[in-house]
Amino acid sequence: MTRPVVCENLWKSYHFRQPVGVKNLLLGHAAPAETRFTRQWALSDVSFSVSKGQACGILGHNGSGKTTLLSVLLGTVPIDRGRLSILGRVASLLELSAGFHADLTGRENAVLLGSILGMRLAEIRARFDAILEFSELDNAIDNPLRTYSAGMIMRLGFSVIIHSPADVFLIDEVLAVGDARFQEKCRHYLTEFKKRNGTLIIVSHNMKELAGICDEGICLDLGQVVDTGPIEGVISRYSARASAASPGKSAVAA
Amino acid sequence: MQGTGRSAAQLAELLYILVRKELSARYKNRVLGYVWALANPFAFAFVYWIAFKFIMRLEIENYSLYLIAGMFPWVWLSTGVSNATRSFFVNASLVKKVSLPRFILPLANVAQEMVHFAFALPVIFAFLWFAGGMTPKASWLWQVPLLLALQTAFTYPLALSFALANAYVRDIEYLVGIGFSLMFFVTPMVYPVTMVPEAYRHYFELNPLHAMMQSWRTIFLQGTLEPGHMAYAAAFAALTGLIAWLLYRKLAPRIGELL
């Protein structure tokens, strides 16, 4: 069976993380030290795959490579080595207001985001009522986006994205800003999406959210996959490691 | 890799939406929106008209018409390229967080300035008519669209190349600004090239920007096309188009990690 998301031995290095500037170009710049945030390989030898109708949760500390992995899957950042294959259309919710303009109304922004995601204007128009209904923004849809709270922006973004035709969803830590009821609505929608054979990849630090939606999980540390398997096991081992390494208990464990 | 699987029609709609976004965001909450688009070229032209006509007292025939005929296409070119040079930084979230064909961002800047220019055309025609007694010509109906297409083809490769280079070396945007300030006098925009001493004039005429701007002036002031200048501008557009395409293939994939 072909899996919609397959990564084999992915390696990714940020060759020129900083724009160079003439000064550095002339004087050369020192190689960064190998730490959590400035190591040479942002991703090293990452392999995993996700089946149709499955949700995969990605866990890891800040700087462990989660966002890099999502960017690579989305195609906004190229890989250096390895093989990556994604079947079907990918839609992403990696940043709350990506593609939005603060001065435009919610309605105009919905059209803008839909078009950015690859929808035809006719498609957006045809689905607009459904988008508005899911977002529950009612009359606020005609107010400028700068008057929106983070939760309202998330409602708008999420509602547009789920109405774009996608086979694979990438979601990075944005659901948390919605209120409890809307989060429940999103969770319900994502479960339905899986039932329709959609594939889901979610980055989150909210273990309850991951456990509620995901089937499998992978845990990243310093750009490497340190754990994979059913989500409950990955979460409990991650939590155990995290509390073992917490400053209160053993500050100099590493 | 970005934005694969989009049809040409979808890309055209996306371009339309991106341009409309900028235009409506700019004109919202501004009472005199349209007037502000005209103010800049007129202010430029007025300053040089005062300076050359009254202070330095140069005798240039139909000087105000000469200024206006060149100033609007110049503002389209220079503002379009300067804004496009910053476009990947300004739209960093569109580069990093969604899958989008990146060439469309500088293109939207060029198209947006073209729309401003097109909006200003009636005012240019009116100015030529009332200040210069030049009645509108029917030949403009096909000459102007032809030159709109030529200048778009001329401007976009520059815009895309500088935008790509600027993602790698951020000093480019300052160099572009300085470059246009120099070019403003070299092209020349505020005096006719015939005022340049004969020995040097040839070098001034090698400048492709001169050919582009002179094409507009001949249309506005004489109502005729100048095939030599237009062919030169088109050849330059083809050459820079090729360079921009090669740069795009080489440089575009990595800009997501540079912003």
Side-chain angles (χ1 to χ4, degrees):
Chain A
M1 191 184 112
T2 53
R3 298 183 143 212
V5 178
V6 179
C7 298
E8 285 170 9
N9 314 101
L10 294 187
W11 292 78
K12 172 65 199 167
S13 170
Y14 288 114
H15 293 284
F16 359 65
R17 183 78 248 202
Q18 302 298 323
V20 270
V22 165
K23 193 180 95 185
N24 289 334
L25 209 61
L26 294 177
L27 302 177
H29 53 132
E34 294 273 310
T35 72
R36 187 165 157 197
F37 296 111
T38 59
R39 58 181 180 271
Q40 191 196 348
W41 293 101
L43 294 177
S44 45
D45 207 16
V46 170
S47 301
F48 77 105
S49 63
V50 189
S51 312
K52 253 195 186 132
Q54 297 273 298
C56 178
I58 303 178
L59 288 77
H61 304 294
N62 296 135
S64 59
K66 302 185 298 296
T67 299
T68 299
L69 183 55
L70 283 188
S71 304
V72 159
L73 293 173
L74 183 60
T76 58
V77 159
I79 52 173
D80 293 302
R81 273 183 255 157
R83 199 178 73 87
L84 168 68
S85 106
I86 294 191
L87 302 176
R89 296 179 66 165
V90 184
S92 60
L93 191 53
L94 301 194
E95 191 177 279
L96 263 189
S97 50
F100 285 157
H101 194 296
D103 280 336
L104 301 183
T105 64
R107 184 183 300 270
E108 291 166 320
N109 272 305
V111 175
L112 178 62
L113 181 60
S115 188
I116 287 169
L117 290 170
M119 291 165 84
R120 298 296 304 267
L121 295 185
E123 273 181 289
I124 303 171
R125 247 175 260 126
R127 294 179 197 175
F128 191 80
D129 288 339
I131 292 173
L132 180 55
E133 199 192 316
F134 192 93
S135 72
E136 299 168 7
L137 286 169
D138 295 325
N139 292 330
I141 195 78
D142 289 311
N143 293 343
L145 198 82
R146 63 186 139 73
T147 64
Y148 282 30
S149 67
M152 290 164 79
I153 296 175
M154 192 279 273
R155 279 168 176 259
L156 186 64
F158 190 83
S159 305
V160 173
I161 281 167
I162 62 170
H163 288 88
S164 75
D167 310 294
V168 179
F169 270 146
L170 309 177
I171 301 177
D172 188 359
E173 196 68 72
V174 290
L175 299 181
V177 296
D179 57 40
R181 211 173 50 77
F182 195 73
Q183 280 190 37
E184 184 50 44
K185 192 171 175 178
C186 294
R187 194 161 24 243
H188 179 74
Y189 176 84
L190 293 175
T191 315
E192 290 295 308
F193 176 71
K194 288 199 302 179
K195 282 189 193 143
R196 295 198 306 270
N197 264 337
T199 306
L200 211 55
I201 296 179
I202 302 179
V203 164
S204 180
H205 292 288
N206 181 342
M207 298 304 147
K208 245 179 75 188
E209 180 188 315
L210 286 178
I213 304 174
C214 299
D215 309 287
E216 309 148 39
I218 67 173
C219 181
L220 291 177
D221 191 27
L222 292 175
Q224 290 168 320
V225 177
V226 291
D227 194 7
T228 59
I231 189 73
E232 293 81 11
V234 175
I235 289 177
S236 59
R237 287 189 291 276
Y238 174 73
S239 306
R241 267 198 308 279
S243 55
S246 74
K249 289 178 182 170
S250 51
V252 282
Chain B
M1 180 156 198
Q2 301 84 32
T4 43
R6 286 174 195 254
S7 66
Q10 207 281 322
L11 283 176
E13 285 182 351
L14 175 58
L15 179 66
Y16 163 73
I17 291 286
L18 287 174
V19 171
R20 205 187 60 175
K21 166 188 84 162
E22 287 304 324
L23 291 175
S24 55
R26 186 191 294 198
Y27 290 147
K28 250 174 208 183
N29 310 320
R30 284 170 189 78
V31 186
L32 298 175
Y34 177 59
V35 175
W36 294 126
L38 300 173
N40 203 11
F42 266 112
F44 259 126
F46 184 69
V47 165
Y48 286 101
W49 186 68
I50 294 286
F52 279 54
K53 199 86 178 172
F54 290 97
I55 300 173
M56 293 188 252
R57 296 195 195 133
L58 288 176
E59 261 321 304
I60 303 172
E61 210 185 334
N62 287 332
Y63 184 52
S64 61
L65 303 186
Y66 179 89
L67 281 174
I68 289 294
M71 208 60 76
F72 281 86
W74 174 265
V75 167
W76 168 17
L77 175 73
S78 59
T79 314
V81 172
S82 306
N83 290 348
T85 301
R86 288 186 295 272
S87 60
F88 292 138
F89 283 95
V90 172
N91 297 296
S93 70
L94 289 185
V95 175
K96 292 163 71 171
K97 301 294 180 184
V98 287
S99 176
L100 191 77
R102 288 166 179 166
F103 64 80
I104 207 158
L105 295 173
L107 183 59
N109 284 109
V110 173
Q112 184 196 334
E113 293 307 314
M114 186 193 78
V115 171
H116 281 142
F117 175 76
F119 282 169
L121 280 170
V123 180
I124 302 174
F125 296 153
F127 186 86
L128 296 175
W129 196 359
F130 294 117
M134 303 189 50
T135 46
K137 296 176 175 59
S139 61
W140 283 344
L141 283 177
W142 60 274
Q143 288 169 341
V144 170
L146 186 65
L147 270 202
L148 283 176
L150 178 61
Q151 181 156 336
T152 305
F154 185 94
T155 310
Y156 178 50
L158 297 174
L160 180 59
S161 306
F162 288 137
L164 288 165
N166 193 46
Y168 285 79
V169 186
R170 282 219 68 180
D171 310 67
I172 299 287
E173 61 185 70
Y174 300 102
L175 292 175
V176 167
I178 294 170
F180 274 114
S181 300
L182 291 177
M183 282 311 210
F184 186 76
F185 287 95
V186 173
T187 296
M189 299 308 298
V190 287
Y191 55 90
V193 75
T194 46
M195 288 182 74
V196 178
E198 197 118 20
Y200 305 106
R201 197 181 302 162
H202 179 64
Y203 298 107
F204 280 67
E205 285 171 340
L206 281 178
N207 175 6
L209 300 184
H210 170 72
M212 190 67 242
M213 294 301 127
Q214 200 58 31
S215 303
W216 282 110
R217 287 194 196 105
T218 11
I219 283 191
F220 285 143
L221 302 179
Q222 275 111 51
T224 53
L225 292 177
E226 204 159 338
H229 281 143
M230 288 178 64
Y232 189 54
F236 179 75
L239 177 69
T240 50
L242 179 68
I243 294 171
W245 182 69
L246 293 173
L247 282 177
Y248 185 76
R249 288 202 357 180
K250 184 100 181 113
L251 300 183
R254 285 216 176 262
I255 62 176
E257 62 199 73
L258 294 168
L259 306 182

XYZ file of all heavy atoms in Angstrom, chain A residues 95-138:
338
model
N 1.157 29.079 10.676
C 1.241 30.341 11.377
C -0.145 30.953 11.314
O -0.790 30.910 10.278
C 2.255 31.252 10.682
C 2.606 32.476 11.466
C 3.677 33.281 10.724
O 4.855 32.915 10.826
O 3.318 34.250 10.046
N -0.584 31.530 12.426
C -1.965 32.004 12.504
C -2.346 32.936 11.387
O -3.361 32.770 10.732
C -2.170 32.738 13.826
C -2.779 31.906 14.931
C -3.126 32.797 16.096
C -4.007 31.189 14.423
N -1.515 33.957 11.149
C -1.960 34.993 10.224
C -1.198 34.967 8.913
O -1.149 35.963 8.219
C -1.834 36.356 10.884
O -0.555 36.488 11.435
N -0.610 33.814 8.567
C 0.115 33.730 7.296
C -0.838 34.017 6.153
O -1.854 33.358 5.995
C 0.746 32.350 7.127
N -0.530 35.031 5.359
C -1.358 35.344 4.203
C -2.442 36.354 4.501
O -3.057 36.869 3.581
N -2.667 36.657 5.767
C -3.708 37.633 6.101
C -3.159 39.050 6.065
O -1.982 39.273 6.298
C -4.279 37.363 7.490
C -5.210 36.185 7.533
C -5.439 35.511 8.721
C -5.871 35.755 6.391
C -6.303 34.424 8.771
C -6.736 34.675 6.439
C -6.948 34.012 7.628
N -4.047 40.003 5.808
C -3.663 41.411 5.847
C -4.543 42.117 6.874
O -5.764 42.031 6.811
C -3.838 42.049 4.472
C -3.169 43.379 4.349
N -3.549 44.463 5.099
C -2.120 43.796 3.597
C -2.778 45.488 4.807
N -1.891 45.102 3.893
N -3.915 42.817 7.804
C -4.633 43.371 8.954
C -5.708 44.380 8.558
O -6.715 44.503 9.246
C -3.645 44.015 9.924
N -5.503 45.107 7.466
C -6.444 46.164 7.111
C -7.666 45.657 6.349
O -8.634 46.386 6.169
C -5.751 47.243 6.267
C -4.967 48.195 7.136
O -5.307 48.310 8.327
O -4.021 48.823 6.634
N -7.612 44.420 5.867
C -8.743 43.893 5.112
C -9.747 43.238 6.056
O -9.408 42.835 7.157
C -8.259 42.868 4.076
C -7.255 43.372 3.052
C -6.922 42.265 2.060
C -7.796 44.574 2.307
N -10.966 43.109 5.595
C -11.994 42.475 6.421
C -11.771 40.963 6.461
O -11.015 40.401 5.661
C -13.391 42.722 5.844
O -13.465 42.086 4.572
C -13.673 44.205 5.698
N -12.466 40.315 7.386
C -12.397 38.865 7.468
C -12.811 38.214 6.158
O -12.201 37.252 5.696
N -13.844 38.778 5.542
C -14.333 38.231 4.278
C -13.255 38.316 3.189
O -12.958 37.340 2.506
C -15.572 39.024 3.848
C -16.263 38.516 2.609
C -17.422 39.436 2.244
N -18.418 39.511 3.301
C -19.476 38.687 3.394
N -19.649 37.747 2.508
N -20.341 38.811 4.380
N -12.639 39.505 3.054
C -11.595 39.666 2.040
C -10.406 38.757 2.331
O -9.805 38.178 1.424
C -11.133 41.129 1.998
C -12.189 42.076 1.451
C -11.867 43.539 1.718
O -11.385 43.863 2.821
O -12.117 44.363 0.838
N -10.077 38.622 3.617
C -8.958 37.762 3.980
C -9.247 36.296 3.693
O -8.351 35.537 3.340
C -8.609 37.945 5.456
C -7.609 39.068 5.660
O -6.543 39.070 5.057
N -7.964 40.035 6.477
N -10.504 35.894 3.844
C -10.857 34.506 3.549
C -10.634 34.215 2.067
O -10.088 33.170 1.701
C -12.316 34.245 3.931
N -11.018 35.165 1.204
C -10.808 34.995 -0.236
C -9.310 34.956 -0.539
O -8.826 34.117 -1.296
C -11.494 36.135 -1.022
C -11.177 36.033 -2.499
C -12.994 36.100 -0.784
N -8.568 35.868 0.100
C -7.117 35.930 -0.091
C -6.456 34.611 0.297
O -5.696 34.027 -0.485
C -6.571 37.086 0.751
C -5.073 37.334 0.760
C -4.580 37.671 -0.628
C -4.751 38.483 1.722
N -6.768 34.121 1.489
C -6.140 32.881 1.950
C -6.541 31.702 1.068
O -5.705 30.854 0.723
C -6.505 32.608 3.414
C -5.886 31.349 4.009
C -4.363 31.421 3.978
C -6.356 31.120 5.441
N -7.811 31.663 0.672
C -8.266 30.583 -0.197
C -7.482 30.551 -1.494
O -7.053 29.497 -1.962
N -7.253 31.745 -2.058
C -6.519 31.822 -3.316
C -5.058 31.428 -3.113
O -4.465 30.749 -3.956
C -6.632 33.239 -3.872
O -6.092 33.302 -5.159
N -4.481 31.854 -1.993
C -3.099 31.485 -1.690
C -2.975 29.969 -1.561
O -1.985 29.370 -1.977
C -2.633 32.199 -0.407
C -2.393 33.681 -0.699
C -1.385 31.553 0.168
C -2.194 34.520 0.529
N -4.009 29.342 -1.001
C -3.978 27.888 -0.827
C -4.244 27.139 -2.124
O -4.199 25.912 -2.150
C -5.013 27.463 0.220
C -4.700 27.862 1.661
C -5.900 27.602 2.547
C -3.487 27.106 2.173
N -4.561 27.875 -3.200
C -4.709 27.217 -4.494
C -6.134 27.012 -4.944
O -6.392 26.284 -5.891
N -7.100 27.647 -4.256
C -8.494 27.500 -4.670
C -8.831 28.497 -5.775
O -8.267 29.589 -5.826
C -9.439 27.734 -3.484
C -9.390 26.658 -2.428
S -10.192 27.212 -0.902
C -11.904 26.840 -1.259
N -9.746 28.129 -6.657
C -10.273 29.059 -7.644
C -11.274 29.976 -6.957
O -11.915 29.587 -5.973
C -10.968 28.305 -8.777
C -10.056 27.377 -9.576
C -8.984 28.161 -10.304
N -9.554 29.183 -11.163
C -9.839 29.011 -12.455
N -9.575 27.869 -13.032
N -10.358 29.991 -13.168
N -11.432 31.187 -7.490
C -12.351 32.147 -6.878
C -13.777 31.606 -6.845
O -14.518 31.809 -5.879
C -12.307 33.478 -7.627
C -10.970 34.228 -7.547
C -11.072 35.578 -8.220
C -10.521 34.375 -6.104
N -14.157 30.892 -7.910
C -15.505 30.325 -7.948
C -15.703 29.313 -6.818
O -16.752 29.266 -6.183
C -15.749 29.680 -9.305
N -14.654 28.508 -6.569
C -14.712 27.523 -5.474
C -14.902 28.224 -4.130
O -15.682 27.791 -3.285
C -13.376 26.770 -5.391
C -13.223 25.553 -6.251
C -11.857 24.920 -6.015
O -10.842 25.519 -6.450
O -11.795 23.872 -5.381
N -14.121 29.311 -3.938
C -14.190 30.020 -2.659
C -15.592 30.596 -2.472
O -16.191 30.477 -1.400
C -13.150 31.159 -2.610
C -11.746 30.596 -2.843
C -13.211 31.869 -1.261
C -10.689 31.664 -3.023
N -16.110 31.211 -3.542
C -17.443 31.799 -3.454
C -18.479 30.729 -3.117
O -19.349 30.925 -2.279
C -17.794 32.480 -4.782
C -17.887 33.996 -4.654
C -18.121 34.644 -6.003
N -16.888 35.181 -6.567
C -16.406 34.886 -7.770
N -17.053 34.041 -8.553
N -15.291 35.432 -8.189
N -18.349 29.581 -3.788
C -19.328 28.523 -3.576
C -19.293 28.009 -2.138
O -20.308 27.602 -1.591
C -19.072 27.378 -4.560
N -18.103 28.030 -1.527
C -17.998 27.477 -0.176
C -18.019 28.530 0.910
O -17.831 28.211 2.081
C -16.686 26.687 -0.064
C -16.728 25.477 -0.963
C -15.459 24.683 -0.914
N -15.456 23.802 -2.083
C -14.448 23.023 -2.419
N -13.380 23.003 -1.672
N -14.510 22.256 -3.484
N -18.217 29.787 0.504
C -18.041 30.840 1.498
C -19.020 30.721 2.659
O -18.641 30.900 3.823
C -18.145 32.235 0.868
C -17.712 33.287 1.830
C -16.365 33.529 2.031
C -18.637 33.971 2.596
C -15.955 34.458 2.968
C -18.230 34.898 3.537
C -16.886 35.142 3.723
N -20.270 30.380 2.360
C -21.256 30.268 3.437
C -20.857 29.186 4.430
O -21.003 29.353 5.649
C -22.636 29.969 2.849
C -23.201 31.191 2.137
O -22.735 32.309 2.447
O -24.085 31.025 1.276
N -20.333 28.080 3.906
C -19.903 26.998 4.787
C -18.717 27.438 5.642
O -18.635 27.116 6.838
C -19.519 25.778 3.952
N -17.802 28.214 5.029
C -16.640 28.713 5.778
C -17.107 29.610 6.918
O -16.697 29.455 8.071
C -15.697 29.494 4.829
C -15.043 28.557 3.819
C -14.631 30.242 5.636
C -14.238 29.252 2.736
N -18.008 30.535 6.575
C -18.505 31.484 7.578
C -19.234 30.742 8.689
O -19.069 31.041 9.875
C -19.429 32.499 6.903
C -20.046 33.561 7.802
C -18.956 34.311 8.563
C -20.862 34.535 6.976
N -20.012 29.739 8.308
C -20.776 29.022 9.315
C -19.848 28.266 10.265
O -20.034 28.286 11.482
C -21.734 28.051 8.628
C -22.862 27.595 9.529
C -23.625 26.418 8.939
O -23.914 26.460 7.725
O -23.890 25.473 9.696
N -18.814 27.631 9.699
C -17.906 26.881 10.566
C -17.185 27.816 11.525
O -16.980 27.496 12.691
C -16.892 26.097 9.721
C -16.114 25.093 10.522
C -16.554 23.776 10.609
C -14.961 25.460 11.207
C -15.860 22.851 11.368
C -14.271 24.539 11.969
C -14.708 23.225 12.044
N -16.799 29.009 11.019
C -16.010 29.923 11.851
C -16.860 30.566 12.956
O -16.327 31.027 13.949
C -15.409 31.029 10.991
O -16.424 31.933 10.586
N -18.168 30.610 12.772
C -19.097 31.239 13.724
C -18.782 32.712 13.942
O -19.079 33.265 14.990
C -19.079 30.507 15.075
C -19.501 29.050 14.967
C -19.201 28.265 16.235
O -18.790 28.884 17.225
O -19.382 27.045 16.219
N -18.157 33.350 12.950
C -17.783 34.756 13.141
C -18.951 35.708 12.889
O -18.902 36.880 13.263
C -16.619 35.125 12.215
C -15.270 34.563 12.661
C -14.222 34.738 11.577
C -14.794 35.237 13.937
N -20.012 35.219 12.251
C -21.212 36.026 11.975
C -20.886 37.391 11.381
O -20.163 37.474 10.402
C -22.044 36.183 13.252
C -22.587 34.840 13.699
O -22.910 34.025 12.819
O -22.639 34.605 14.923
